Amino acid sequence: MRDGYATGAGRGCTGPEDGRPHRPIDVLVVDDDVRVAEINAAYAAKVPGFHVSAKAHSAADALARMNDSSVDLILMDHYLPDGNGLAVVRELRRLGHQTDVIMVTAARDVATVQAAMRHGALQYLVKPFNFAGLRTKLEAYAGLRRTLSRGGEAEQAEVDRIFGALSASSLTPDLPKGHSPTTAATVRQVLLAAESPLSAQEIADRTGLSRQTAQRYLKLLERTNRVRLSLRYGDTGRPEHLYRWAPST
């Protein structure tokens, strides 16, 4: 049995505060389709700070892998040949494993989504998706780990940041016509996960959006005081606009 949850107490997570580099986040990829598992593993391995330690293609295999290796995060498919992903999560909890879980599945019925939430899944990514979609989830998760690794007591703003790293519920519900809540949430997750302010181009690169789309959502979020703008001056030319999520939102 591992001590505590992976998001904070797991295996000596380090951060910039202690002057040491982050330890890579070990990932178990679970998918019944070998080809899909390889793709998801390749996607996860491309995200800085993540290392795929194992792949599994059945419920039994996933449980065995958890006993054979140290895992911080499971990318869990729901449809498995000998059960389903939520049953695996229930069994892991019964055995004392508190490893974090992101559901990565084609299951999109509300009952399954609700059950995933109740069993502690931190994220739910519906197939099919592209690299940018998974990268956004993983970067938000990494941001959550960094926040929790600081320990100590949290003020309300810090609590909001912890919950906000994985939730889009605090975005304005009255987005102007032509704006997608999902896209706004994606931009928000990237900003929350970032350790320093980002340019519109950097946000576009991390989300898979065009620069123009990223800029449009950033301007909207800035107008609603959810994003703060700063300027970075270079030797020549116009200053670069940098954005960060407002800590009080």
Side-chain angles (χ1 to χ4, degrees):
M1 175 178 176
R2 295 175 59 191
D3 295 330
Y5 287 84
T7 50
R11 297 196 292 127
C13 182
T14 62
E17 291 83 359
D18 59 19
R20 292 177 291 165
H22 289 288
R23 176 187 58 76
I25 298 169
D26 287 324
V27 180
L28 168 64
V29 176
V30 181
D31 200 290
D32 67 317
D33 188 314
V34 174
R35 183 182 63 85
V36 172
E38 291 291 342
I39 293 173
N40 291 348
Y43 279 172
K46 287 173 62 178
V47 180
F50 288 83
H51 169 257
V52 177
S53 58
K55 296 184 287 290
H57 309 296
S58 68
D61 193 13
L63 292 169
R65 295 287 184 180
M66 286 298 300
N67 290 326
D68 293 341
S69 59
S70 296
V71 176
D72 298 306
L73 175 68
I74 306 173
L75 300 184
M76 178 70 75
D77 190 14
H78 184 60
Y79 299 120
L80 300 172
D82 55 346
N84 61 61
L86 292 181
V88 174
V89 176
R90 285 196 297 270
E91 180 63 10
L92 288 173
R93 299 299 184 243
R94 188 187 70 81
L95 294 172
H97 293 284
Q98 299 298 338
T99 305
D100 295 322
V101 175
I102 294 178
M103 298 298 294
V104 179
T105 176
R108 60 184 67 208
D109 58 286
V110 173
T112 300
V113 175
Q114 288 180 326
M117 293 173 60
R118 289 168 182 159
H119 286 87
L122 295 178
Q123 289 275 19
Y124 199 106
L125 185 60
V126 177
K127 296 177 181 177
F129 55 86
N130 57 20
F131 170 59
L134 180 59
R135 178 176 60 186
T136 298
K137 302 292 187 187
L138 293 180
E139 288 180 341
Y141 172 73
L144 176 65
R145 284 176 64 92
R146 286 195 297 271
T147 298
L148 294 180
S149 69
R150 296 167 190 157
E153 296 184 352
E155 300 295 335
Q156 184 62 53
E158 190 74 356
V159 172
D160 291 343
R161 177 177 173 82
I162 291 170
F163 279 90
L166 296 170
S167 171
S169 60
S170 66
L171 284 178
T172 178
D174 53 347
L175 288 173
K177 185 176 180 179
H179 288 76
S180 163
T182 301
T183 302
T186 298
V187 172
R188 178 180 189 266
Q189 286 184 332
V190 167
L191 288 170
L192 280 167
E195 296 186 24
S196 58
L198 300 175
S199 68
Q201 185 60 58
E202 288 171 327
I203 292 169
D205 292 341
R206 297 187 187 196
T207 59
L209 301 171
S210 68
R211 186 184 184 285
Q212 291 76 12
T213 298
Q215 186 71 59
R216 183 158 58 96
Y217 279 84
L218 288 166
K219 287 182 177 178
L220 169 65
L221 293 170
E222 182 194 357
R223 288 198 302 271
T224 55
N225 297 317
R226 286 165 170 78
V227 163
R228 292 184 180 174
L229 170 66
S230 60
L231 301 177
R232 179 166 62 194
Y233 292 89
D235 295 333
T236 59
R238 299 170 59 186
E240 184 178 25
H241 289 200
L242 299 176
Y243 301 88
R244 65 183 179 90
W245 193 260
S248 61
T249 60

